[in-house]
Amino acid sequence: DGGTYLMEAPVSILDLLCYTGYKYLGLSVNMLSGLTVGHFLGYGHRSYYFTYLWTATAVSYFILKVMANCIPRRTSAVGPKRQFMVLGFAGSQFATCWFVSQTAFLK
């Protein structure tokens, strides 16, 4: 990841891939909720977006806490600030959950 490289933070690429993969569990829960509620009650989109807000917020908070603990407090003096990078990582999880999701199959 470019941000951790610029900060010269010793974070493993495999750790980053594992942590950021948790969003796909939330996406599966979102789709399952949208399909089942849409099939039985007809409110698929509403259910999907409600669970999307819940799971995306949970994943963003998880990444915020994990990255705050993984990235050391002292990083490179010339690179980006640690706080901004950690907030950027958390915000990017919320955004990628939105862009990766598909609602074309919901009623």
Side-chain angles (χ1 to χ4, degrees), residues 51-69:
T51 55
Y52 164 76
L53 288 174
W54 180 66
T55 57
T57 303
V59 168
S60 295
Y61 182 75
F62 171 74
I63 291 296
L64 178 74
K65 291 299 183 179
V66 165
M67 287 297 150
N69 288 329

Side-chain angles (χ1 to χ4, degrees), residues 35-51:
L35 288 173
T36 56
V37 172
H39 178 71
F40 292 114
L41 300 175
Y43 295 111
H45 279 93
R46 288 182 185 172
S47 171
Y48 177 84
Y49 289 122
F50 177 76
T51 55

Side-chain angles (χ1 to χ4, degrees), residues 10-32:
V11 179
S12 170
I13 295 295
L14 187 58
D15 287 343
L16 291 176
L17 288 174
C18 292
Y19 293 143
T20 58
Y22 281 107
K23 74 175 143 274
Y24 296 107
L25 174 68
L27 290 172
S28 299
V29 169
N30 296 344
M31 188 56 72
L32 183 65

Side-chain angles (χ1 to χ4, degrees), residues 7 10 38 54 63 73 76 79 82 85 100:
M7 290 188 304
W54 180 66
I63 291 296
R73 298 228 183 258
S76 175
R82 176 184 177 270
M85 291 305 296
V100 174

